[in-house]
Amino acid sequence: MTEVDDIDHALLRLLRQDARRTFSEMAEKVGLSVAAVKRRVDRLRDIGVITGFTAQIDYAKLGWGIEAFTELRYAGSAPVSEIIRTATVAPEVQAIYTTAGDPDALVSIRARDMRHLQQVIDTLRRAGNVTGTKTLMVMDVWTRSDVDPSPPTRPSATTRPQPAQRPRP
Amino acid sequence: MTEVDDIDHALLRLLRQDARRTFSEMAEKVGLSVAAVKRRVDRLRDIGVITGFTAQIDYAKLGWGIEAFTELRYAGSAPVSEIIRTATVAPEVQAIYTTAGDPDALVSIRARDMRHLQQVIDTLRRAGNVTGTKTLMVMDVWTRSDVDPSPPTRPSATTRPQPAQRPRP
DNA sequence: ATTGAAAAAGATGGCCA
DNA sequence: TGGCCATCTTTTTCAAT
């Protein structure tokens, strides 16, 4: 089954912090051989705990300075697939969260400027049977760098302090 | 200045898809030498376009099956720093988006079950001068794998179809 | 499941066009 | 900048425990 032990959790934390870490570095940190670490990481991917590795990008530096969340309301009971289909029409949509209750979905949007954002929202409104939108402009974002994927059996009331980000060599 | 050309954008797209790609593989795809690709990626990090690399994790498989967004409303005009400080108290908070208007913030939460989520929300309510919360339970998530960090000068009206995920060797 | 070692692949840094 | 080359590090596989 999906058995993930403490060492696996340590590896997950290390890879969350820096996905391009070498197996050798991780091996040293968790006290295993390089081969063992590779096997574990391969297994974490195989069982679907690790779904991928991605680069984090500062979109503002690329000219996409506007970030927003838009709540979508649909007429009647739109199925999830329908919601995702309609919200996918705009390439500026980064992510879609279908939700229970009101609203029906929350979409994350990246745009170059307010005019562009307005166009995206218009597109969403026309894309399906969207009955209403409400948009939240994001001013500032804070993301937890040290995510704590501790086992659910251990209640983990507090966060562990995390060593500073590894400086680039 | 922050000059990012088409090849840089191609590299960003490749690293978004798989942050653990080798320089050799990227070099082949963009038609440059390995050293040139490394130089470009190093530079993209130096100028802050790439802010890091991270592993994508299926938290449900780790026993954290509940995902939610909670809107937070604060009394008066709470400064951003205050909002982030209060929302950070709970380790289950994954991200905080401070927003303009109403609500004042949107926080992304991961919890083991509904009871746990309830505890987190209670913690948030008590953490600062939070006057109200509204929670959206996430049922399904769709994330754009192929983000299009195209230059803002090129309007890019449509999405390009994206080849299937590279199979593991 | 882990280790250790050997072969293959990749990463780095210097130098010149 | 980019390419090339020499060197060093890392990955990957395999036999053995």
Side-chain angles (χ1 to χ4, degrees):
Chain A
M1 257 302 289
T2 308
E3 180 84 30
V4 179
D5 66 16
D6 286 352
I7 292 181
D8 290 327
H9 280 286
L11 293 174
L12 291 174
R13 201 169 61 237
L14 289 170
L15 285 171
R16 282 269 318 174
Q17 291 169 350
D18 181 1
R20 283 185 77 87
R21 262 182 228 276
T22 62
F23 290 127
S24 348
E25 185 189 346
M26 292 186 275
E28 204 175 8
K29 287 193 196 277
V30 303
L32 280 185
S33 70
V34 174
V37 168
K38 175 177 158 44
R39 263 177 57 99
R40 279 172 177 265
V41 173
D42 284 347
R43 179 174 156 276
L44 287 170
R45 293 190 48 160
D46 288 340
I47 66 181
V49 168
I50 295 175
T51 60
F53 302 99
T54 193
Q56 295 162 309
I57 292 174
D58 183 344
Y59 289 100
K61 284 227 169 70
L62 295 175
W64 296 67
I66 300 285
E67 182 170 10
F69 280 94
T70 295
E71 302 177 357
L72 296 181
R73 264 160 275 271
Y74 284 77
S77 55
V80 168
S81 59
E82 155 78 0
I83 292 175
I84 290 183
R85 190 190 59 71
T86 59
T88 312
V89 299
E92 294 85 355
V93 170
Q94 307 284 307
I96 305 166
Y97 305 88
T98 58
T99 55
D102 176 58
D104 297 297
L106 191 64
V107 304
S108 160
I109 299 175
R110 270 281 176 193
R112 293 186 287 276
D113 47 44
M114 287 300 275
R115 185 175 148 276
H116 184 194
L117 176 62
Q118 193 59 58
Q119 290 175 354
V120 175
I121 294 171
D122 285 349
T123 303
L124 289 178
R125 294 188 70 97
R126 278 193 288 267
N129 42 2
V130 175
T131 58
T133 64
K134 174 183 176 180
T135 297
L136 308 176
M137 299 297 310
V138 173
M139 295 194 303
D140 195 36
V141 181
W142 175 90
T143 307
R144 186 177 294 280
S145 60
D146 130 2
V147 163
D148 181 15
S150 61
T153 47
R154 175 154 43 102
S156 88
T158 50
T159 22
R160 288 186 287 281
Q162 199 61 20
Q165 194 86 336
R166 169 186 75 120
R168 292 188 55 210
Chain B
M1 259 302 289
T2 309
E3 180 85 29
V4 180
D5 65 16
D6 286 352
I7 293 181
D8 289 326
H9 280 286
L11 293 174
L12 290 174
R13 201 170 59 238
L14 289 171
L15 285 171
R16 282 270 317 175
Q17 291 169 352
D18 181 0
R20 283 185 77 87
R21 262 183 228 275
T22 62
F23 290 128
S24 349
E25 187 188 343
M26 293 186 273
E28 204 175 8
K29 288 195 196 277
V30 303
L32 282 184
S33 69
V34 174
V37 167
K38 176 179 157 42
R39 276 170 43 126
R40 279 173 176 266
V41 173
D42 284 347
R43 179 174 157 277
L44 287 170
R45 293 191 49 159
D46 289 340
I47 65 180
V49 168
I50 295 175
T51 60
F53 302 98
T54 193
Q56 295 161 310
I57 292 174
D58 183 343
Y59 289 100
K61 285 226 168 72
L62 294 175
W64 295 67
I66 300 284
E67 182 171 9
F69 280 94
T70 296
E71 302 176 356
L72 296 182
R73 262 160 277 270
Y74 284 77
S77 55
V80 168
S81 58
E82 155 78 1
I83 293 176
I84 290 183
R85 188 189 59 73
T86 60
T88 311
V89 298
E92 294 85 355
V93 169
Q94 307 285 307
I96 305 166
Y97 305 89
T98 59
T99 56
D102 176 57
D104 297 298
L106 191 65
V107 304
S108 162
I109 299 175
R110 271 280 175 195
R112 292 186 287 274
D113 49 42
M114 287 301 275
R115 185 174 147 277
H116 184 194
L117 176 63
Q118 193 60 56
Q119 290 175 353
V120 175
I121 294 171
D122 285 348
T123 303
L124 290 178
R125 293 188 71 97
R126 278 192 288 267
N129 43 1
V130 175
T131 59
T133 64
K134 175 182 175 180
T135 296
L136 309 175
M137 299 297 308
V138 173
M139 295 194 303
D140 195 37
V141 182
W142 175 90
T143 306
R144 187 176 293 281
S145 59
D146 130 2
V147 163
D148 182 14
S150 61
T153 47
R154 175 156 41 104
S156 91
T158 50
T159 20
R160 290 185 287 280
Q162 198 62 19
Q165 193 87 336
R166 167 184 77 118
R168 293 187 53 209

